[in-house]
Amino acid sequence: MTGKKWIVTEKPPQSFFDEHPELPNIIVRLLWNRNLRTEAAMEAFLNPNYETGIHDPFLFNDMEKAVELIFDCLKNNKKITVHGDYDADGVCASAIIMTGLKKLGGTNLGIYLPHRETDGYGLNPRTVQFLKDGGTELIITCDCGISNTEEITLAKSLGMHVIVTDHHAMPLKFPPADAIIHPLVPSEKYPDKTLAGGGVAFKLVQGLLKRHHETNELLSDGQTHEAFEKWLLDMAAISTVGDMVPVLGESRILVLYGLTVLNKTRNIGLKYLLKAAGLFDEAGKQKRVFDTHTIGFQVAPRINAAGRMDHANVAFELLMAETEEEAASLADQLNKNNIDRQKLTDQIVSEARKQIKETGQKDNAIIFVYGESWATGIVGLIASRIKDEFGKPTIAMGCNNGMITGSGRSVKGFNLIEALKTMPEFFHKFGGHPQACGFSLKDKGSFEEFKTTLLAKAVVGTKDIDLAPQISIDAEVDLDEVNWKLFDLLQKFEPFGVGNDEPLYAATNLTVMGVRPVGTDGKHLQIQVKHNSHVVRKTIAFGFGNEEKHPECWKDLKAGEKIDLAFTVGVNEWNGNRELQLQVEDIRKSL
């Protein structure tokens, strides 16, 4: 047994099935599970529309101020510096704004992406002075800035203007910026509250284009404003999926249309990154349609790898590349960074598992893992992997220049960033979301006290939460119901992501017909099963042959044994062939 608790969502009332006789029962359940109960809600979800679903950027309280300030700088050739962040969201947000400024005639432009270990997250006083000394008159932050009150106060005192574009949790004190474009500002009337940093950056560029279009029919190169805007959507989609914000509302539309753009992207850097990820065959043909899985597992990790293993400038330069030679070189560099990151992550996760076992933490309300030599650029990945494995809020930490730097990932119901806000005395700097945070401790000597304090808050904060590892299943099905008709209907639920998870099904009392290790290291399993007919179905169980992660030794399953599977439905394509693929999320022995 895996020990995971399977939670099958409750069936809707029969009356709801009766209202939709034209749809398979599974689809009706999915609509109900996603709280899509009215015809209007279903229509908006199943048939999202860019023209009607994208909000006016000038609904942001400070958009008018921001646009006026930027056009003044462009008109008078004042230097504008875009200050981003080192993750996929921050890099894409920076590239979106920089691309927009260039298209609107900006030439006196600068970019500053912080180094994860030497600069840390967001602005710092040293950077502010550096930008001032370099002639910057306007700083535009991307995916950061809302918590940088001290630094923005300094920038203002030095005579610079500051526009903040961000989406992170609200600070106790707001910075004195000239304009703040942030959906969570308490007085903010903008209707969509869950945009990623790249989504907020996109809204700023959209505002600039809208204002420019009032007096200019076309852009300087003859392109329409609408066309240029939409070609930026591939980066907005990468931001949204990569930063794991809810793929709902306006973000859902940005991702849906962004995927259309990504599949025919004109961004030379992205083209070469997709090639480096092995997503094209030797003839240069795209192997499969790019979707949120492509972004989440192929594109965003490679962009993130730049900031984790070296410097995010490499990823930014790739997105801004203008020649194929430059793009090919940068894409290869990111691909190598990503391979190195994968190896290092696997190594440290193994060390973290051992540490958890030795310290007896697996039953604690929150798990802490720490390595003096652990690269702080990947502690977020470690926290995420451990959180998923143990089902507990997790803090992973390393040491950077004598300072303990950490990253946390939480579970549904426990707001990690709110917990940190109640203990600011421990931190040199911190920030994040309810489910993810980053921080550096003021004093290494307070390490144990920090852990004790946060553990106490986690005990209280999780007392009403079932922390046993669990998976949520949309419906229990007969495998014979899983066919191409179902798959085609499932396409209407895409793009999948946070808030709209890919549907997960369960099939029980399956008969094992055979098990075969696959992959170079044999850590993946192809399991053949039969259900309530003679038809044998192939399933793929990624990682289930890895005894360290799955000590149940599923590769030792014997023909004739009975198992239950939790799985998603996808497509496997090879050599021009297509077949439905059942991807296993969990296995248990049938009762």
Side-chain angles (χ1 to χ4, degrees):
M1 300 288 286
T2 64
K4 284 186 179 177
K5 190 176 181 181
W6 292 19
I7 309 294
V8 181
T9 54
E10 192 174 331
K11 286 179 67 173
Q14 185 58 43
S15 59
F16 193 68
F17 287 106
D18 294 340
E19 289 170 19
H20 304 283
E22 75 285 3
L23 295 175
N25 282 355
I26 298 175
I27 297 298
V28 176
R29 287 190 68 159
L30 293 180
L31 293 168
W32 180 268
N33 293 350
R34 283 151 183 73
N35 203 33
L36 301 168
R37 311 288 170 83
T38 66
E39 291 297 333
M42 291 179 194
E43 174 64 22
F45 183 85
L46 297 174
N47 298 294
N49 184 286
Y50 189 86
E51 308 307 324
T52 59
I54 295 291
H55 304 300
D56 182 349
F58 285 94
L59 289 176
F60 273 105
N61 293 345
D62 283 359
M63 185 62 75
E64 188 71 47
K65 293 180 190 174
V67 168
E68 284 187 12
L69 184 52
I70 290 169
F71 274 117
D72 176 70
C73 288
L74 292 174
K75 179 182 177 181
N76 294 292
N77 201 33
K78 298 176 182 177
K79 185 172 183 180
I80 302 172
T81 295
V82 176
H83 184 297
D85 188 26
Y86 38 63
D87 67 358
D89 189 16
V91 171
C92 287
S94 301
I96 287 169
I97 291 182
M98 185 64 78
T99 303
L101 294 175
K102 284 188 172 183
K103 183 63 69 172
L104 292 169
T107 54
N108 194 7
L109 304 173
I111 180 70
Y112 192 91
L113 298 182
H115 189 282
R116 186 184 293 263
E117 296 192 359
T118 57
D119 293 319
Y121 171 72
L123 294 162
N124 66 51
R126 188 180 68 254
T127 300
V128 171
Q129 187 64 56
F130 173 78
L131 296 182
K132 174 64 179 177
D133 293 344
T136 295
E137 296 189 58
L138 169 63
I139 300 171
I140 304 176
T141 73
C142 299
D143 195 34
C144 65
I146 196 63
S147 297
N148 290 124
T149 299
E150 176 189 342
E151 292 81 3
I152 291 174
T153 300
L154 173 61
K156 296 291 291 177
S157 73
L158 293 172
M160 291 188 283
H161 293 291
V162 182
I163 296 171
V164 169
T165 76
D166 200 355
H167 72 127
H168 288 93
M170 292 293 97
L172 297 174
K173 185 179 179 183
F174 285 85
D178 295 270
I180 297 177
I181 311 298
H182 191 311
L184 294 179
V185 170
S187 60
E188 181 57 70
K189 62 182 181 291
Y190 194 77
D192 197 301
K193 303 300 182 184
T194 58
L195 290 171
V200 178
F202 177 79
K203 299 308 295 187
L204 176 60
V205 174
Q206 197 179 39
L208 292 168
L209 291 170
K210 186 173 183 178
R211 180 54 43 83
H212 186 267
H213 190 34
E214 290 173 2
T215 53
N216 299 271
E217 183 180 353
L218 299 171
L219 292 163
S220 59
D221 60 357
Q223 193 174 17
T224 67
H225 294 78
E226 181 185 16
F228 174 72
E229 174 186 311
K230 288 183 176 177
W231 281 113
L232 296 174
L233 286 170
D234 47 11
M235 291 189 287
I238 293 167
S239 280
T240 303
V241 176
D243 215 49
M244 299 188 72
V245 300
V247 185
L248 299 169
E250 189 171 22
S251 291
R252 174 174 164 78
I253 295 174
L254 292 177
V255 173
L256 180 66
Y257 284 82
L259 286 169
T260 299
V261 173
L262 183 64
N263 275 277
K264 54 184 178 183
T265 186
R266 290 181 177 177
N267 186 301
I268 299 174
L270 281 178
K271 282 183 181 179
Y272 274 89
L273 186 65
L274 292 162
K275 288 179 181 178
L279 299 175
F280 289 85
D281 61 23
E282 293 180 359
K285 184 181 177 182
Q286 195 172 316
K287 291 181 180 179
R288 60 189 295 271
V289 174
F290 303 144
D291 55 16
T292 52
H293 189 275
T294 309
I295 293 176
F297 291 90
Q298 302 286 352
V299 179
R302 284 172 168 79
I303 295 175
N304 278 326
R308 294 187 192 283
M309 304 302 291
D310 187 7
H311 199 292
N313 284 344
V314 178
F316 176 81
E317 289 165 9
L318 175 81
L319 296 179
M320 301 297 293
E322 296 181 355
T323 69
E324 295 200 5
E325 183 180 10
E326 181 186 13
S329 173
L330 291 166
D332 285 343
Q333 188 174 340
L334 283 188
N335 203 48
K336 182 182 182 303
N337 284 345
N338 192 52
I339 292 169
D340 293 342
R341 188 270 309 165
Q342 288 172 325
K343 290 177 180 175
L344 187 58
T345 301
D346 287 344
Q347 173 195 324
I348 295 178
V349 165
S350 292
E351 292 176 21
R353 286 194 195 107
K354 183 179 178 183
Q355 192 176 118
I356 293 164
K357 185 177 180 181
E358 289 175 349
T359 55
Q361 286 193 78
K362 72 181 183 66
D363 295 322
N364 286 3
I366 187 169
I367 291 173
F368 297 95
V369 290
Y370 169 73
E372 187 83 18
S373 62
W374 290 357
T376 53
I378 64 169
V379 289
L381 297 176
I382 309 308
S384 183
R385 290 266 295 269
I386 296 299
K387 185 269 295 183
D388 289 344
E389 203 168 311
F390 290 86
K392 301 284 183 72
T394 300
I395 303 288
M397 296 163 285
C399 190
N400 174 28
N401 294 324
M403 181 179 287
I404 292 179
T405 301
S407 189
R409 297 295 182 269
S410 194
V411 296
K412 187 176 180 181
F414 179 56
N415 191 319
L416 196 49
I417 193 65
E418 288 302 320
L420 296 194
K421 280 183 180 180
T422 65
M423 43 192 286
E425 66 275 11
F426 286 102
F427 305 112
H428 169 65
K429 191 181 286 190
F430 73 97
H433 312 288
Q435 301 294 300
C437 72
F439 62 85
S440 53
L441 296 183
K442 271 184 187 174
D443 178 12
K444 199 172 180 180
S446 67
F447 185 41
E448 293 303 324
E449 186 184 357
F450 157 70
K451 290 196 294 181
T452 301
T453 304
L454 186 54
L455 177 58
K457 294 182 184 298
V459 168
V460 174
T462 62
K463 66 179 181 358
D464 297 322
I465 303 172
D466 184 357
L467 290 176
Q470 57 183 242
I471 54 175
S472 181
I473 292 168
D474 281 286
E476 192 172 316
V477 300
D478 186 309
L479 283 190
D480 289 339
E481 295 179 77
V482 181
N483 51 36
W484 283 107
K485 180 182 178 182
L486 172 66
F487 177 78
D488 290 341
L489 286 168
L490 285 177
Q491 304 311 292
K492 302 288 280 183
F493 284 78
E494 294 190 9
F496 301 126
V498 175
N500 180 37
D501 292 329
E502 186 172 2
L504 187 62
Y505 306 104
T508 60
N509 206 35
L510 303 170
T511 303
V512 176
M513 303 303 291
V515 178
R516 182 169 67 90
V518 293
T520 53
D521 53 9
K523 289 185 177 180
H524 313 310
L525 302 177
Q526 185 188 86
I527 305 173
Q528 294 182 312
V529 294
K530 283 201 309 187
H531 202 189
N532 296 320
S533 71
H534 66 282
V535 179
V536 176
R537 304 293 292 265
K538 286 190 293 186
T539 72
I540 183 71
F542 292 113
F544 278 78
N546 182 346
E547 294 180 26
E548 183 179 26
K549 187 176 180 182
H550 292 282
E552 305 90 349
C553 293
W554 295 114
K555 64 184 178 181
D556 295 332
L557 280 172
K558 300 291 189 295
E561 288 191 77
K562 297 287 188 177
I563 59 172
D564 303 338
L565 294 181
F567 61 92
T568 57
V569 180
V571 175
N572 184 28
E573 300 185 40
W574 81 103
N575 297 332
N577 299 308
R578 294 175 84 236
E579 69 175 5
L580 286 177
Q581 177 168 276
L582 310 185
Q583 183 170 319
V584 175
E585 294 295 318
D586 199 21
I587 310 173
R588 66 185 185 189
K589 295 285 183 71
S590 298
L591 297 175

